[in-house]
Amino acid sequence: TNLFSIFPNPADNDLFINFNPVINNEIQYKVIDVLGRLLQRGKLLNYRINVSRLSSGIYFLALYKENKQVGKTVKFTKN
């Protein structure tokens, strides 16, 4: 099991993160394409990531707390 889930998947504008258990610490994120290129990174705010600027396709999301990955990298689709 993973420490978080994402929805909706596929996503249009925003990707929401649901942690289990809840994590209140500062969380960083990275969005990576299928070629391994870092396309987006930042601090997670309100458990939401805006993906509206991404082209349609398949991407991977990794979350980090204090430079350590939280859970597994997850795949999502951008409409």
Side-chain angles (χ1 to χ4, degrees):
T1 62
N2 207 352
L3 298 175
F4 67 93
S5 58
I6 60 172
F7 64 95
N9 191 7
D12 289 314
N13 295 314
D14 291 312
L15 195 60
F16 294 90
I17 316 299
N18 183 34
F19 289 98
N20 186 18
V22 173
I23 297 177
N24 291 323
N25 300 39
E26 186 174 293
I27 300 292
Q28 305 288 325
Y29 71 87
K30 293 180 182 176
V31 175
I32 301 158
D33 70 7
V34 293
L35 299 177
R37 295 178 296 194
L38 177 63
L39 299 182
Q40 215 173 301
R41 70 186 310 166
K43 188 183 348 178
L44 188 61
L45 299 172
N46 299 319
Y47 303 102
R48 175 189 308 206
I49 299 169
N50 185 298
V51 293
S52 62
R53 292 185 177 167
L54 296 176
S55 301
S56 296
I58 296 172
Y59 298 92
F60 297 92
L61 173 68
L63 301 179
Y64 297 86
K65 179 175 80 172
E66 299 168 357
N67 294 322
K68 293 183 181 166
Q69 188 164 344
V70 175
K72 300 174 184 169
T73 299
V74 294
K75 181 169 71 172
F76 72 94
T77 302
K78 166 67 170 70
N79 281 333

